[in-house]
Structures are given as structure tokens and as C-alpha cells.
Amino acid sequence: MLSRDQRDPAATPRLLLTLLAVALLWPGIRLAELNPLVLLQADNARTMGSFLAGFWPVAHSAEFLGLLLDATLQTLAIATAGIALALLLAVPASLLASQALSLSAASRGGRPGWPGQCLRWPARGVLIFLRSVPEIVWALLFVRAVGLGPTAGVLAIAITYAGMLGKVYAEIFESVDQRPAHALLQAGSGRLAALAYGILPNAAAELTSYTVYRWECAVRASVVMGFVGAGGLGQQIDLSMRMFAGGEVASMLLTFLLLVLLADQLSRLLRRQFT
């Protein structure tokens, strides 16, 4: 038996938090009708096995590889162009939503004034709206507006990811040490100079890592949006699945895996350059 002095003082709060988590999680599991045991049933296992068996051998004909290369390049183009357009919206929106470059905060010891808040809250509201609508919903809208093809995917990624990037950029600007930027502002420096010399040197690695991560997510999103006609690998996967060409689907999934590995290595390389 442990004495009173030997007991963990945080044991009771941890136990209460664990019970609370279980109490909140259990209704969610029931509502989701989660039952992993159905995967072990013989009929379901045979169905999944026969489905996966159709993925072998992978397609590797010269004609298909040419089609796969075009779809892969189109997927990369959709993700890259979408992220580039998203940055054009996210960067100014993040500066409006963040108090890192607030003149009132610099002069009042980090406490922002109400005029700046009147600008920041609408900017944050716009970012919330942009990221609250899933990109596939935007893709469905733009497919009807501009027709089938990669343009709809680019616009959908640009709008959704502008909200995501803008929110996180604003938080990163506020999470780094504010004193260099405030010192520059108090000395009469402009806000762009304070951003360039007071904020970005400390935030560059995190900004780069998150941007590359979002580009990786955009690659995945472009594949999903291809199922609604937004081009790229997703549209080719949808067509191959409809024709029961499992080998072609397997080749495209392997290509997609290589794209994700490429994005991961690119993120590591860029982080080394900024750390």
C-alpha cells in the first residue's frame, strides 16, 4: 500500500478524464455502427480477397503507362496550381487575421486594440467559411460551372486550402517570438519589413513544412475529386474501376504512393534548409 506522499497526485484527474473520454466515445461508436468483427466473417473475407485478387498483375503496357504518366502529371499540376492560387488568398488573409503585426499590440505590450480586432474577426470569418466546405463540394459546384476537367479541381483546392493555410499561417505568426517584430514596429519600420525580418526568420521552417504537407494533401484531394470529373488520377481510377480493370487501378495506386513519398522527402529536404 502506497503512502499518501507516494501516490501520484495526478492519478485521480487522469482517471476522471479517462472515464469522461470513454463516456463520450462510446455513444459515437454506437452511432457510427462500428463493428470490426464483420471483417472476420468468412463471406466478407472471401469477398475482399476476390476483390484484391483482381488487382494482380499490375498493368504495365506501354499504352497504359503513357496514359498513367499524363494522369500523374495532371494530378501534380492540379495540386500545385491549386496551392499556388490558395497562397495568393491565404497570405494576405493570414496577415489580416493575425495580430502579430498589430501596431497597437506593439505599443501596448502585446494587447491589441479594438480597431485591429474589427479587421481581424471578418478575416477569420472568411477563412472559416472557406475551409468549412469540403473541397469535393466545391469541385461538384465548379464541374457544373466550368465543365469536366482539371480546372474545377484547381479552383476547388484553391478555395478550400486558402482557408486552411490562412488559419494556420496566422497561428504560426502569433506563436513565434513577437519581440523582434514589435521592436521594429516601434522603431518606425513598416509592417512588411517587420514581417520579413522579425517574423519570417523564426517561422520559415514551420511555414514551409506545413505548406508542403498541404501540397501533399492537395495531391490526395485531387485524386478524390477526380471521381466527380475533376481530372487527374482520380478520374482514371474511376474509369478503370467501372471497367473492372483491377490491374490498372493497382498501377495508379502505386503511382499515388510514390507521389506521397516524394512529398514527404521534399518536406524533409526543405526543413533542413530552414533549420
Side-chain angles (χ1 to χ4, degrees):
M1 179 68 69
L2 294 176
S3 65
R4 184 181 299 272
D5 295 335
Q6 293 175 323
R7 293 175 183 172
D8 185 1
T12 301
R14 289 173 183 169
L15 178 60
L16 293 176
L17 288 175
T18 302
L19 294 176
L20 178 62
V22 172
L24 294 176
L25 183 61
W26 180 250
I29 293 176
R30 299 295 297 175
L31 288 173
E33 300 180 1
L34 179 62
N35 184 15
L37 296 178
V38 298
L39 298 176
L40 303 178
Q41 295 178 1
D43 292 341
N44 295 334
R46 280 194 297 269
T47 301
M48 290 187 295
S50 61
F51 177 74
L52 293 176
F55 283 21
W56 185 263
V58 296
H60 57 277
S61 65
E63 181 181 0
F64 172 74
L65 291 179
L67 180 65
L68 178 60
L69 177 61
D70 290 340
T72 302
L73 294 177
Q74 190 175 76
T75 296
L76 291 173
I78 291 171
T80 306
I83 287 293
L85 290 178
L87 288 173
L88 294 178
L89 297 173
V91 172
S94 65
L95 295 177
L96 289 175
S98 173
Q99 64 182 32
L101 299 177
S102 171
L103 293 175
S104 59
S107 61
R108 297 165 60 179
R111 299 188 305 274
W114 64 267
Q117 294 286 7
C118 292
L119 290 176
R120 279 186 285 275
W121 282 111
R124 292 174 181 174
V126 171
L127 293 176
I128 290 173
F129 171 73
L130 293 180
R131 68 177 183 271
S132 63
V133 180
E135 56 265 27
I136 194 168
V137 176
W138 289 114
L140 286 169
L141 174 64
F142 288 123
V143 162
R144 284 160 176 76
V146 301
L148 299 174
T151 302
V154 172
L155 294 176
I157 289 175
I159 289 181
T160 306
Y161 283 60
M164 297 178 182
L165 290 170
K167 172 186 180 293
V168 177
Y169 283 0
E171 293 177 350
I172 292 175
F173 292 152
E174 293 179 352
S175 66
V176 300
D177 188 1
Q178 305 293 304
R179 289 173 296 181
H182 288 175
L184 289 170
L185 292 173
Q186 290 174 349
S189 172
R191 297 192 185 191
L192 289 180
L195 173 68
Y197 298 104
I199 299 293
L200 289 183
N202 295 325
E206 195 169 356
L207 290 172
T208 302
S209 177
Y210 185 74
T211 303
V212 176
Y213 168 70
R214 274 298 155 196
W215 176 76
E216 177 187 332
C217 294
V219 173
R220 290 198 297 268
S222 65
V223 173
V224 174
M225 290 186 296
F227 284 86
V228 298
L233 278 173
Q235 191 165 351
Q236 293 300 323
I237 291 175
D238 183 38
L239 292 174
S240 296
M241 291 186 69
R242 292 184 181 184
M243 294 186 296
F244 301 100
E248 295 181 0
V249 175
S251 297
M252 287 183 276
L253 291 178
L254 289 174
T255 302
F256 179 61
L257 175 62
L258 292 177
L259 290 179
V260 174
L261 291 175
L262 171 65
D264 183 67
Q265 293 302 316
L266 179 61
S267 177
R268 291 185 180 183
L269 177 63
L270 292 175
R271 282 187 66 87
R272 291 196 193 103
Q273 297 297 321
F274 289 100
T275 56

